[in-house]
Structures are given as C-alpha cells and as structure tokens.
Amino acid sequence: TLPQRPFTHPHQSKELAEKDQQIYGLQLRDASTTTAHDQLILLVEDNEANIEIFAEYLQVWGYRVIVACSGSEALARAQEETPDLILMDVQLPEMDGLTAVCELRKTDAIKTIPIITLTALAMQGDKARCLAAGANVYLSKPVQLRQLVLTIEQLLAEQAAMPKEPTL
Ligand code: MN
C-alpha cells in the first residue's frame, strides 16, 4: 500500500506552486531560442480565451504584455505606456481595430510603433484595408503562435535598426 499523502497547508501548497512555476518557467525559457528581451506588447483583443493564450505564450518568450479590450481602450493604453509593438484584433467593441490603427497613426509618439493586425474574417480586401489603415503586417486567424512570435521578432529587429529621427 502507498503511504497516505501528508496534509498540505494552504500556505505550503502556495509555496509548492511557486517553486514548480520557477522550475517549469526556467525550462521553457531555456527551450526558447530567442535572445532575452523585455519588450512591451500591447495586446488588443476582446476574446478572453484569446487574451489568455496570446498573453501566456508571449510571456513565456519574455515579452511583457498589457491588454486592452476595445479600440478606445487601446488608444488610451498606447498613449500611457508607449509599447514596443501592438497586436490589434480587428473585430472589437466600440471602436473597431482598423479605426483604432488610423487613430494611433495620427499620434506622434505612436505613429512608428509596429502594429500587427489580426482578423478572423479573412475576407478579400482585408489585407489591403489593414495595411491602408497603417498596420505593418496583417495576419489572419487562426494564427500560428510560432509564426506570430517570428513576425514580432522581425518587426522589432527592423524597428531597432531604423535610424532615429533627429530632434529639432
Ligand atoms: Mn474580436
């Protein structure tokens, strides 16, 4: 017979969970090939399951993630936080993603931030409309997460290589 499991106090199970998280998190980080980074991504998405999947995945890769659930919230968060990159869902409540991208491009501090638009519609003309609104890249859902990270890495590398505008 197997010995009975010792009773675990709530504070002990919390310690255990934290320890497991540390070990597991380190293993995942070792498995990733990307260089360590700490860049801030603004995730604009209204679907809770998608928020969880994208945010968790991106965090494992070392990105910091902040979330906005509508176009108008995206404008506010982008101005407050000046993220390094914006992931923009197109179908959003209040203000849709394309309108939000157009608005973001009017703001000096934000107009050069790379934006990836994500749409589930995949209708003809979607790509052109996203790029015309000011997005750098258009991806249609379902998105391959690895593809998403590769796209993010590429845009951030291009951004870093861009000469800074002289300040007058
Ligand atoms: Mn949506």
Side-chain angles (χ1 to χ4, degrees), residues 45-46 89 91-92 141:
E45 171 67 68
D46 60 326
D89 180 31
Q91 279 109 333
L92 293 167
K141 291 180 186 173

Side-chain angles (χ1 to χ4, degrees), residues 49-120:
N50 281 345
I51 291 172
E52 210 172 305
I53 292 165
F54 285 134
E56 278 183 9
Y57 189 81
L58 293 172
Q59 280 162 357
V60 169
W61 281 78
Y63 299 105
R64 291 180 296 134
V65 179
I66 50 172
V67 177
C69 300
S70 71
S72 45
E73 203 187 330
L75 299 187
R77 298 292 275 157
Q79 292 197 359
E80 287 160 12
E81 309 276 351
T82 335
D84 295 292
L85 185 138
I86 300 170
L87 267 183
M88 179 76 75
D89 180 31
V90 171
Q91 279 109 333
L92 293 167
E94 294 165 53
M95 181 193 287
D96 69 87
L98 291 185
T99 309
V101 172
C102 282
E103 289 300 315
L104 289 170
R105 289 314 192 203
K106 291 178 190 164
T107 311
D108 266 346
I110 297 160
K111 66 182 177 195
T112 59
I113 295 176
I115 300 178
I116 300 173
T117 47
L118 302 164
T119 173

Side-chain angles (χ1 to χ4, degrees), residues 137-153:
V137 174
Y138 155 91
L139 295 174
S140 59
K141 291 180 186 173
V143 175
Q144 272 197 328
L145 290 169
R146 196 191 291 165
Q147 178 62 42
L148 179 65
V149 163
L150 287 175
T151 306
I152 290 171
E153 292 278 305

